[in-house]
Amino acid sequence: MRTLYVYLDFELLKPMKKFYYSICLSLITITAVAQMDAKLKVKLDQQVKELEPRMIEWRRYFHEHPELSNREVETGELIANQLKAMGLEVKYPVAKTGVVAILKGGKPGPVVALRADMDALPVTERNSLPFASKERVLFNGQETGVMHACGHDGHMAILLAVAEILSKNKSELKGTVKFIFQPAEEGAPASDGTSGAELMVKEGVLENPKVDAIFGLHIQSLVPSGKIAYRSGGLMASVDGVDIKVKGLGAHGATPWDSVDPITISGQIINGLQTIVSRQSELTKGAVVITVGSMHAGIRRNIIPEEALLEGTIRAFDDDMQRKVHADIIRTATKIAESAGAKAEVDIQIMYPATVNDLKLTLQMAPSLERAVGTENVMITLPVTMAEDFSFFQKKVPGFFFFLGAYPADMQLPKPPTHHTADFMIDEKAFASGVKAFLHLTLDYLNAPKK
Ligand code: NI
């Protein structure tokens, strides 16, 4: 089944979507999809509209007061207070600076979790927005600005709005909603230890009550505002780090025959690593990326050094391929070094697994997205080689993660507003679509007839 769906999914284009559904539906049994009635939809749309100014206020507050990973203390307090004021059961702090709130519906039913990440980045904001960040911190011994340069300020504002609207419509809920505000998605300093989604899972955020499904979104600054993009299977890549220390023998640059040159060997290793991608990975199953982003060796042109250090990043979309790439890297690096009389020590740091959307859940919930924002605003996306620690939740329970376009077309920016840069910018008008998407996903999931 898995192989079949991966094949179909790669062939999938928007016009083929209906066809795709019908094939997959005939092959697997999925939970019937509930559909909220028209009257409720009109009421919710109206409530989203009324709450929009407040949601934008929240976002601007978060934007002006960004905090780095695991340092989201004021952010967490503000979120916890807002959720308490909505009458929710709130736990803070969770997993260092996170917030978890529970909303019990009027009737019994399953448990849905909705997740927003909270942290900002060490980036100095470059624009003239009245709510631009002026925060400054010392990061890795360097003074820098702090900025919500990935849209997490929007994620938090959207999820607060969803919490507010769902708590007003408690009687419509057959089940429970768990709101998860997660710190440290961007990766905390190593000295903090396990953090972010991984720590939340370890601390039992998906238990008591046990979560049946989890939904999450990420703003995309380059996708047209208000559009939603998703795919089943691998949406975002796994990410791992790799350090390769090549140990050779130093010599005078004029007599290389006296050396075991770690620089030349490093060059061969770098090329060898690329053949893992092009010759040894079954790329029709999913993409693989190996990038060597830094190389340190030597101090002077005529001294062959003793050692070289390569640092790289590895991306994949499938657990088996990820494991195979790791083994391939270790074998390739150590054998190439050995063939030249050197030694390579390979250290792979496992970071985030791939963000894989559960097939059954994706099929079940995609129609809800279309009803929330209109079929014309929902599209299928290609996989993205960035990573997301939402994947740790998906390792435990079926999860569905999607992108919310927020390209600020009417700002006529001189440069594309790329994530993690000083020029990052998003369109706040897109947030309403994110709220509607979460509302429809939650209500449709909770109200789906029992299997
Ligand atoms: Ni992000």
Side-chain angles (χ1 to χ4, degrees):
M1 173 51 65
R2 191 144 185 240
T3 316
L4 176 63
Y5 108 73
V6 169
Y7 168 71
L8 286 169
D9 207 30
F10 271 87
E11 290 299 306
L12 184 57
L13 291 168
K14 177 77 184 171
M16 289 192 54
K17 207 160 59 178
K18 292 258 151 59
F19 170 64
Y20 169 73
Y21 286 150
S22 61
I23 291 176
C24 291
L25 282 168
S26 66
L27 291 171
I28 58 167
T29 326
I30 64 162
T31 312
V33 175
Q35 186 171 341
M36 75 168 65
D37 68 63
K39 247 166 78 187
L40 178 59
K41 182 175 174 359
V42 172
K43 182 176 144 195
L44 292 178
D45 284 355
Q46 184 56 32
Q47 289 179 345
V48 175
K49 207 171 163 192
E50 282 164 16
L51 195 57
E52 203 176 1
R54 196 146 152 242
M55 170 164 57
I56 290 172
E57 248 175 61
W58 280 324
R59 184 260 163 162
R60 292 186 180 184
Y61 180 86
F62 292 134
H63 193 86
E64 203 172 345
H65 304 93
E67 293 172 298
L68 292 177
S69 309
N70 278 344
R71 312 292 183 266
E72 308 92 330
V73 179
E74 280 174 34
T75 307
E77 272 167 17
L78 183 129
I79 290 170
N81 289 336
Q82 294 293 325
L83 294 168
K84 274 182 204 157
M86 294 171 200
L88 273 67
E89 227 177 284
V90 180
K91 253 203 212 167
Y92 171 78
V94 179
K96 295 194 170 96
T97 51
V99 188
V100 178
I102 289 177
L103 174 66
K104 289 197 179 107
K107 294 158 205 157
V111 180
V112 158
L114 303 175
R115 175 272 209 167
D117 40 10
M118 303 162 71
D119 48 340
L121 289 156
V123 170
T124 307
E125 184 155 9
R126 180 168 50 206
N127 62 55
S128 53
L129 291 174
F131 54 91
S133 160
K134 289 170 199 73
E135 297 290 330
R136 295 196 74 79
V137 289
L138 263 185
F139 185 81
N140 281 347
Q142 235 179 305
E143 205 198 318
T144 169
V146 184
M147 178 188 178
H148 268 294
C150 198
H152 300 187
D153 48 348
H155 302 167
M156 292 184 279
I158 288 170
L159 197 55
L160 278 176
V162 174
E164 167 97 47
I165 293 173
L166 285 179
S167 50
K168 273 192 202 152
N169 295 279
K170 234 161 106 163
S171 57
E172 304 287 347
L173 289 177
K174 282 188 203 153
T176 301
V177 187
K178 203 179 256 193
F179 298 92
I180 300 177
F181 289 85
Q182 179 218 303
E185 190 280 326
E186 302 286 1
S191 55
D192 283 15
T194 308
S195 295
E198 190 178 7
L199 183 60
M200 286 200 123
V201 171
K202 255 194 188 162
E203 289 193 359
V205 77
L206 298 174
E207 305 296 327
N208 298 323
K210 196 175 175 344
V211 170
D212 294 294
I214 184 163
F215 301 118
L217 65 76
H218 205 297
I219 281 173
Q220 277 289 329
S221 64
L222 299 178
V223 172
S225 183
K227 301 266 182 206
I228 285 178
Y230 77 95
R231 68 181 286 107
S232 60
L235 173 76
M236 298 180 80
S238 60
V239 56
D240 304 307
V242 56
D243 293 342
I244 302 172
K245 193 182 260 181
V246 181
K247 290 179 159 176
L249 183 65
H252 194 295
T255 57
W257 47 86
D258 289 335
S259 79
V260 175
D261 181 357
I263 293 184
T264 321
I265 297 164
S266 295
Q268 289 171 338
I269 290 175
I270 292 167
N271 286 333
L273 297 183
Q274 293 316 315
T275 66
I276 294 172
V277 178
S278 63
R279 307 285 85 192
Q280 298 171 57
S281 299
E282 197 173 339
L283 296 176
T284 52
K285 277 189 186 169
V288 169
V289 174
I290 303 172
T291 292
V292 175
S294 95
M295 182 181 164
H296 299 279
I299 195 158
R300 205 176 127 141
R301 72 177 75 237
N302 61 354
I303 302 172
I304 295 174
E306 291 180 2
E307 283 185 1
L309 177 67
L310 309 178
E311 294 173 315
T313 186
I314 310 160
R315 313 283 161 134
F317 288 89
D318 174 291
D319 289 351
D320 292 340
M321 287 176 82
Q322 182 189 9
R323 272 189 290 270
K324 182 180 176 297
V325 169
H326 292 175
D328 290 346
I329 289 176
I330 293 169
R331 191 191 61 250
T332 303
T334 52
K335 298 294 178 193
I336 288 177
E338 215 179 289
S339 74
K343 206 175 158 226
E345 289 170 0
V346 184
D347 176 30
I348 293 176
Q349 303 106 42
I350 312 253
M351 294 157 109
Y352 296 175
T355 302
V356 179
N357 281 333
D358 183 81
L359 169 64
K360 216 164 138 182
L361 187 66
T362 308
L363 284 170
Q364 183 188 341
M365 302 320 301
S368 300
L369 289 181
E370 296 189 348
R371 284 194 294 273
V373 299
T375 311
E376 67 285 5
N377 291 317
V378 179
M379 51 195 183
I380 304 294
T381 179
L382 289 170
V384 171
T385 48
M386 316 287 178
E388 231 306 332
D389 72 351
F390 186 78
S391 51
F392 285 103
F393 299 119
Q394 289 173 316
K395 283 269 169 208
K396 295 280 171 195
V397 296
F400 178 54
F401 195 72
F402 57 95
F403 298 132
L404 172 66
Y407 178 71
D410 45 6
M411 286 186 179
Q412 297 184 340
L413 303 170
K415 268 194 197 171
T418 333
H419 287 248
H420 291 211
T421 68
D423 300 307
F424 181 72
M425 189 80 73
I426 50 177
D427 180 11
E428 293 167 329
K429 290 196 289 297
F431 296 176
S433 301
V435 176
K436 287 177 191 171
F438 270 154
L439 290 175
H440 280 250
L441 289 172
T442 306
L443 287 164
D444 290 352
Y445 185 90
L446 293 183
N447 296 339
K450 286 230 168 83
K451 280 171 237 174

